[in-house]
Amino acid sequence: MAAAAARWNHVWVGTETGILKGVNLQRKQAANFTAGGLPRREEAVSALCWGTGGETQILVGCADRTVKHFSTEDGIFQGQRHCPGGEGIFRGLAQTDGTLITCVDSGILRVWHDNDKNTSSDPLLELRVGPGVCRMRQDPAHPHVVATGGKENALKMWDLQGSEEPVFRAKNVRNDWLDLRVPIWDQDIQFLPGSQKLVTCTGYHQVRVYDPASPQRRPVLETTYGEYPLTAMTLTPGGNSVIVGNTHGQLAEIDLRQGRLLGCLKGLAGSVRGLQCHPSKPLLASCGLDRVLRIHRIQNPRGLEHKVYLKSQLNCLLLSGRDNWEDEPQEPQEPNKVPLEDTETDELWASLEAAAKRKLSDLEQTQGALQTRRRKKQRPGSTSP
């Protein structure tokens, strides 16, 4: 039943325990999908992206450097490919023209064959984009163009069909009022539709807009939000603003034309790891370390539409772009069906149970010691008051 209904899931979430979770918001149900039985933290999902066939296939980037192919039509994993090279987890994943694009922490960007006939371990192209990469993002309008950025690794734009040098390299902002160098820490990148501009959010709570067509390589617009590092960002349906999330679970919408704050969204309790807006509906999906998937309405009246607890720490998500969310056919429910046992263990409850047992044993030992001391203090033949 879960496999048959996988195509109607609205949100796909990658977890720290290596599970791909599909969430149906109309039914308020979540299903777990794993490639090989029990989940393993060595296969933690660090990146998700749609395949070239639209929303019928999901590419799942795992911490063990494998990229798994999941079919949303059949609800099963249909193969995987090992992508070695460099160090760290995947910071970006993309697919174009039968090729797979990967980028890891250490700054190794590689292009691979993405078909079953060619499983060679040799990449078609390898670029060194600089260490400390935090994000690689593909340009939706030009799939062969990607952008990279990270900690002390300035924003760069690469044409995978051109030279091995970046087509745009951002320049750091001028020194601050103390004439000290401003550090670089680009956490997320987005391409603005209908233009060549890019927008970044940083670990120093800045939002910056760059224009490669401009003579200057510095930001053409810069604003700040809050006091904590920004960790994720997504474009709103109109493309005139972005929504950013930080390490304290705060969400805010920033206008990219004037650089002002348009509004805030509440409800998160942990660091934000994934954000995505629906392409046509005023809906925002968010996930993070508080293990809860939330769907907010980003137009007035703003507010929380859905909230689903998913048991594991959540790293990334994909939001379905289809418009007919409510047109899902009603499938007959099997009577007296016993639900399968959930193979996912919750470490939080396990640790709480162990702590409670330790506290109970310590309490019993303390009470026993007190009773022994009272008996020793009481002399033979004396009467207690």
Side-chain angles (χ1 to χ4, degrees):
M1 182 68 70
R7 72 187 68 176
W8 303 112
N9 288 330
H10 302 96
V11 189
W12 297 91
V13 188
T15 72
E16 193 70 26
T17 53
I19 297 175
L20 177 67
K21 291 176 176 282
V23 182
N24 188 310
L25 299 175
Q26 297 296 327
R27 297 185 178 184
K28 300 188 182 299
Q29 293 178 352
N32 295 342
F33 301 92
T34 56
L38 295 177
R40 298 190 305 128
R41 286 191 174 273
E42 293 79 9
E43 300 177 357
V45 181
S46 58
L48 293 174
C49 75
W50 297 114
T52 53
E55 297 186 1
T56 61
Q57 186 185 64
I58 298 176
L59 302 184
V60 183
C62 300
D64 61 354
R65 301 294 187 80
T66 60
V67 178
K68 302 174 182 177
H69 296 250
F70 179 81
S71 170
T72 59
E73 294 289 327
D74 302 326
I76 57 173
F77 286 91
Q78 295 182 334
Q80 65 181 29
R81 182 193 176 95
H82 185 60
C83 300
E87 298 178 356
I89 62 174
F90 289 124
R91 292 299 185 178
L93 202 61
Q95 192 179 37
T96 176
D97 297 333
T99 59
L100 177 67
I101 308 169
T102 63
C103 185
V104 295
D105 280 329
S106 58
I108 302 299
L109 187 151
R110 288 184 166 183
V111 181
W112 312 81
H113 278 295
D114 189 35
N115 54 52
D116 298 333
K117 298 179 181 179
N118 256 318
T119 57
S120 171
S121 59
D122 297 329
L124 297 173
L125 174 67
E126 178 177 325
L127 298 176
R128 297 185 179 271
V129 301
V133 174
C134 293
R135 183 70 67 196
M136 180 205 76
R137 184 76 68 179
Q138 183 183 33
D139 186 354
H142 306 90
H144 57 89
V145 175
V146 298
T148 60
K151 194 164 188 176
E152 295 306 327
N153 188 345
L155 172 69
K156 303 180 188 70
M157 191 164 66
W158 307 82
D159 186 352
L160 302 180
Q161 296 179 349
S163 67
E164 295 185 359
E165 292 296 319
V167 296
F168 172 76
R169 189 192 302 266
K171 190 175 181 179
N172 195 14
V173 296
R174 293 182 175 85
N175 293 352
D176 62 11
W177 63 282
L178 290 175
D179 199 27
L180 298 176
R181 176 185 175 276
V182 179
I184 300 172
W185 191 3
D186 290 332
Q187 289 271 46
D188 206 349
I189 307 167
Q190 293 287 349
F191 287 86
L192 295 183
S195 70
Q196 298 183 13
K197 295 181 180 178
L198 300 94
V199 57
T200 67
C201 68
T202 75
Y204 302 105
H205 56 90
Q206 302 144 337
V207 176
R208 294 168 173 166
V209 178
Y210 295 86
D211 187 1
S214 173
Q216 64 171 351
R217 293 184 292 139
R218 290 192 171 101
V220 296
L221 182 143
E222 180 177 355
T223 186
T224 59
Y225 168 70
E227 302 176 353
Y228 306 107
L230 301 178
T231 54
M233 176 178 61
T234 182
L235 287 168
T236 57
N240 294 322
S241 61
V242 293
I243 296 178
V244 294
N246 62 21
T247 56
H248 281 230
Q250 299 169 343
L251 298 176
E253 184 176 359
I254 308 293
D255 184 12
L256 297 179
R257 294 166 294 186
Q258 301 178 358
R260 62 188 182 92
L261 178 66
L262 297 179
C264 297
L265 298 170
K266 299 180 180 179
L268 278 76
S271 177
V272 181
R273 291 295 179 88
L275 291 174
Q276 187 176 345
C277 282
H278 193 277
S280 58
K281 294 177 179 290
L283 297 175
L284 167 72
S286 63
C287 69
L289 298 187
D290 62 354
R291 311 181 183 205
V292 179
L293 169 69
R294 293 177 175 86
I295 306 295
H296 283 88
R297 182 178 178 83
I298 58 176
Q299 289 184 359
N300 292 329
R302 299 176 185 265
L304 187 65
E305 293 280 331
H306 301 278
K307 179 179 177 181
V308 184
Y309 178 68
L310 296 177
K311 297 185 181 180
S312 297
Q313 292 181 342
L314 312 176
N315 290 334
C316 48
L317 61 83
L318 281 179
L319 179 64
S320 173
R322 68 176 188 268
D323 293 327
N324 55 341
W325 280 22
E326 295 81 8
D327 295 345
E328 172 190 351
Q330 296 294 327
E331 298 181 5
Q333 307 232 345
E334 298 181 13
N336 302 326
K337 182 178 179 181
V338 180
L340 296 176
E341 183 180 358
D342 193 355
T343 58
E344 183 181 1
T345 59
D346 194 341
E347 297 178 358
L348 176 63
W349 293 110
S351 62
L352 288 176
E353 184 178 357
K357 289 180 179 179
R358 288 196 301 268
K359 186 177 291 185
L360 182 60
S361 61
D362 293 343
L363 181 60
E364 291 176 351
Q365 292 177 3
T366 305
Q367 290 177 350
L370 289 175
Q371 291 177 2
T372 304
R373 289 179 185 176
R374 288 175 183 172
R375 284 196 295 268
K376 287 182 179 180
K377 287 181 179 181
Q378 189 174 9
R379 296 179 179 178
S382 62
T383 59
S384 58

